[in-house]
Amino acid sequence: MRVSEDLRRQMYQEHRALRMLEEDLLDRCEAFCESPDAVHLEPVQRLFDDFSNSLRRHFEFEEVGGYLRVVTDRRPHHSQAVERLLAEHKELMDLVSINQEHLRQDFTAGGDCLKRFKEDFVKLMTTFDRHEVAERELMMEVFWLEGGISE
């Protein structure tokens, strides 16, 4: 039996949901950075919480029940790529936490809170996008070019 079709379908759905959250986050953060006030802050905080929870669940799926361990077990020549992706999971969750911490600061007090948030937000989005591309490339190679993974 081929497990690759079910895994591909679930991965596609999860990645699509994360991309939608990312787009919403980009829109809300842009509005917040233009007007860093309580009206714009609350939706950004809620969306960051949603993004964080979704990302955590997605990484757990990939690490425990998803394709990363299956790829390592059945296509060991990809183990270095899988280990890099796993290390990036922690880095991404750390970046999410840093951004959430920024959003708990008082932006009305002046200082460079907004500047630090913008810099770390760009770093998060850039790192997330690169990670998603690397995962997609690995999935395409394993599931399309190498013929998938069978039980």
Side-chain angles (χ1 to χ4, degrees):
M1 175 183 169
R2 295 179 75 75
V3 294
S4 56
E5 187 173 331
D6 291 338
L7 284 172
R8 268 197 326 241
R9 188 174 302 119
Q10 185 169 356
M11 289 297 294
Y12 173 78
Q13 291 169 348
E14 289 191 15
H15 282 237
R16 192 165 117 197
L18 285 169
R19 280 192 305 274
M20 290 171 57
L21 275 172
E22 178 189 25
E23 289 299 321
D24 289 346
L25 203 51
L26 288 165
D27 290 342
R28 295 286 185 171
C29 285
E30 182 178 1
F32 171 70
C33 288
E34 289 174 4
S35 299
D37 54 30
V39 172
H40 292 94
L41 178 60
E42 184 185 344
V44 171
Q45 288 171 322
R46 272 196 322 268
L47 204 47
F48 251 103
D49 289 344
D50 291 346
F51 185 71
S52 176
N53 292 333
S54 294
L55 200 56
R56 185 172 285 107
R57 280 191 309 271
H58 175 68
F59 289 163
E60 286 172 4
F61 163 71
E62 288 181 345
E63 295 168 8
V64 178
Y67 82 101
L68 289 176
R69 293 296 176 206
V70 174
V71 168
T72 302
D73 291 345
R74 300 188 186 169
R75 298 283 195 264
H77 60 281
H78 289 296
S79 62
Q80 285 184 329
V82 168
E83 291 307 315
R84 272 192 306 277
L85 291 170
L86 291 171
E88 288 174 3
H89 288 180
K90 181 183 178 340
E91 177 186 2
L92 282 162
M93 292 311 300
D94 289 347
L95 287 169
V96 169
S97 294
I98 288 167
N99 278 274
Q100 287 176 304
E101 182 61 35
H102 287 315
L103 292 171
R104 288 190 276 278
Q105 304 301 313
D106 182 5
F107 284 89
T108 60
D112 60 347
C113 289
L114 186 60
K115 180 181 182 227
R116 285 193 318 267
F117 170 71
K118 288 178 181 180
E119 289 169 353
D120 287 332
F121 180 70
V122 167
K123 184 175 181 180
L124 169 63
M125 292 294 101
T126 302
T127 304
F128 176 72
D129 288 340
R130 276 195 298 253
H131 178 81
E132 290 294 291
V133 167
E135 274 190 353
R136 192 169 38 252
E137 288 173 353
L138 179 63
M139 285 179 59
M140 288 171 30
E141 186 171 338
V142 169
F143 293 113
W144 296 358
L145 298 177
E146 294 182 6
I149 299 172
S150 299
E151 286 190 304

